[in-house]
Amino acid sequence: MKNSTLLVALAVLMLAAACSNEPRSLQTVVQGTITVADSIDSSNDYAGISVTIIDQDSINAPVDTLLHMQTDANGFFKGEVLFPEKGYYNMILNRNNNDLGVIRVILADNDTLSVNAELPDVGETLTLESREHKAMETLLRVDRNFQRVGAFVRGGAIPDSMLLDELKKWTDLYWQVHEAHENTLASLVAAEKSAELLNNWDQEEMLNRIDEVLPEDYMFSVAINFGKPYIAESKGFDAASNYLDSLSQISTSDEIREFIQRDKIQLYYDSSRVREAKALLDTYEQNYSEKSSSKKWARRIRYDLNYLAPGVTAPEFSFVTMDEDTINNEALKGTTYILEISPLANYEYQNDYDRTLIINEIYKNYGLKIFTLPLDQSEITINAFFEERRKAWPIAKLGTFDVQQIIQKFNVVQVPTRILIDKDGVVIRKYERAEFNDVIQGLNSAFREVNSPS
């Protein structure tokens, strides 16, 4: 489903602090001792070390200072910090105008956070004590052990006959962390991990656990990520749409309700219900007309609905391959094909490449063709990519297509972007990033009438 961007944004919304212009209603005490190693300073005077806690939604967002104070001669500091949302924040340690360490701390209402460290080896000497951090340590310990078991499974050390019992055990262990550390961030993350594992073998129980934690804000992203796809698959489109409506009804957060509405529009778009998606988008624009981020998202999805939705004739394009073949819409009439648009240097594209090779090997027998339009700036990058990889389909030569025009026509916001186009030149689906797995479903639909490879 086309919801990876929404889920990332929603998860950030749940974990990160809210924007600086929102009211701060949460408060906690932060205290501790920051000293300096004798090898650096033997004076035993640790006064003037700055301790600053900031809130920043993203790299380019403005920084909001939540706490700024200095240590006394013993290195001690203590203060009350006001913050907008329970979650992780950056604590910056500074001495003599030099930033010497950045610590990720969890702030929660009515908690007390104790921080102790010695400069300059902050990472090796740091201790964090609070209710939230104690819970997170428990979760991380369980998670490390689970990852260790996963390595044993991949190495064949655990028989297949035991895998289900092992999976059940870890599902319950994560749930025990959730129950033992109620109202902590770790508790919510543990509930998510339990639901994620249950999604592999007992999806009804997964839904039950999601429902048990709702309406906690954090759990709405879990419901969208795991609950909605299961309902769509087992009960159909209408049930999935109703599920999103029910989530919206129980949420008390305007931000969450907005993201649920976005996901519903995407659900209709992905299901080729373009008219209904446009109607929902009209309502969305009426409800969220004041925020610039909402307007930007609406413009983007409206372009896709108008020019890249299933059933719409694909935008015109033309390029010359590295083998000097001219490719355009007209030349591909009668062919089902995928246009890939991405820098070859992109990690996610490289990670997908072996799976794309498999797709190409299977579906080329049905007539599928793949073409890649690289967004890299240098042919050296492209040649380096194929030094260790087989070039199995045509790659557009740099300089034979207008990069900005391609980005604009195909509304490339995330990479890799892939567009599946049928033999009549009509868009079957546009796929972004993690939606790569949905490509096979689109191909099966495109070649449904083909009984066997040609």
Side-chain angles (χ1 to χ4, degrees), residues 98-116:
N98 293 314
D99 289 341
L100 299 177
V102 178
I103 304 169
R104 294 284 284 167
V105 297
I106 304 173
L107 299 182
D109 197 27
N110 296 320
D111 201 359
T112 297
L113 172 63
S114 295
V115 181
N116 296 282

Side-chain angles (χ1 to χ4, degrees), residues 200-409:
N200 295 309
W201 65 279
D202 190 347
Q203 293 169 311
E204 281 299 326
E205 180 61 20
M206 172 196 70
L207 279 180
N208 292 336
R209 291 191 178 178
I210 290 174
D211 289 343
E212 189 169 332
V213 184
L214 288 171
E216 284 281 357
D217 286 351
Y218 183 87
M219 213 61 184
F220 283 95
S221 63
V222 182
I224 291 174
N225 198 11
F226 301 119
K228 184 198 69 178
Y230 166 60
I231 290 174
E233 182 179 351
S234 62
K235 300 179 182 179
F237 174 88
D238 290 337
S241 179
N242 292 336
Y243 183 66
L244 290 176
D245 289 340
S246 69
L247 293 177
S248 184
Q249 289 169 6
I250 65 174
S251 174
T252 59
S253 165
D254 288 338
E255 289 87 355
I256 292 175
R257 285 196 293 269
E258 177 181 356
F259 279 101
I260 293 172
Q261 185 66 16
R262 290 186 185 186
D263 196 83
K264 185 173 181 178
I265 294 169
Q266 294 280 19
L267 175 67
Y268 276 77
Y269 171 28
D270 292 345
S271 302
S272 302
R273 302 179 185 230
V274 177
R275 183 181 302 174
E276 295 95 328
K278 287 182 177 180
L280 289 170
L281 182 58
D282 290 340
T283 302
Y284 173 89
E285 289 182 305
Q286 293 171 9
N287 293 337
Y288 304 101
S289 59
E290 297 181 359
K291 293 166 56 179
S292 59
S293 60
S294 302
K295 291 179 181 179
K296 183 178 180 179
W297 183 87
R299 285 195 299 269
R300 179 197 166 198
I301 191 65
R302 188 171 291 282
Y303 183 95
D304 278 2
L305 286 168
N306 288 335
Y307 302 106
L308 295 167
V312 175
T313 300
E316 292 187 1
F317 63 88
S318 179
F319 59 87
V320 177
T321 70
M322 296 175 70
D323 297 324
E324 302 297 336
D325 295 321
T326 299
I327 303 296
N328 53 41
N329 306 64
E330 190 63 31
L332 294 175
K333 282 288 181 65
T335 300
T336 298
Y337 59 98
I338 294 174
L339 283 183
E340 293 189 325
I341 305 172
S342 176
L344 302 193
N346 176 265
Y347 173 79
E348 197 161 346
Y349 180 83
Q350 294 178 6
N351 197 45
D352 289 343
Y353 193 74
D354 287 343
R355 291 188 293 170
T356 311
L357 283 171
I358 294 172
I359 287 175
N360 181 65
E361 288 300 314
I362 294 172
Y363 287 94
K364 72 180 183 181
N365 298 314
Y366 294 86
L368 176 71
K369 293 186 180 298
I370 299 176
F371 301 92
T372 301
L373 285 79
L375 301 182
D376 306 273
Q377 297 183 353
S378 169
E379 288 187 7
I380 295 175
T381 303
I382 297 173
N383 292 333
F385 178 86
F386 288 110
E387 283 182 1
E388 300 178 354
R389 299 173 180 86
R390 179 167 62 94
K391 184 162 68 72
W393 54 81
I395 310 296
K397 184 192 296 186
L398 294 184
T400 66
F401 61 96
D402 189 317
V403 172
Q404 291 305 315
Q405 193 176 79
I406 288 294
I407 289 173
Q408 181 179 358
K409 281 187 174 183

Side-chain angles (χ1 to χ4, degrees), residues 12 14-18 53-56 66 83 85-91 103-108 128 132-133 135-137 139-140 185-186 189:
V12 169
M14 298 303 99
L15 286 171
I53 299 178
I54 64 170
D55 172 19
Q56 187 176 25
L66 305 178
F83 55 99
E85 192 77 21
K86 176 166 64 180
Y88 276 99
Y89 294 82
N90 284 335
M91 173 185 284
I103 304 169
R104 294 284 284 167
V105 297
I106 304 173
L107 299 182
L128 298 170
E132 287 284 342
H133 279 279
M136 190 59 70
E137 286 176 7
L139 172 61
L140 293 175
L185 184 60
V189 176

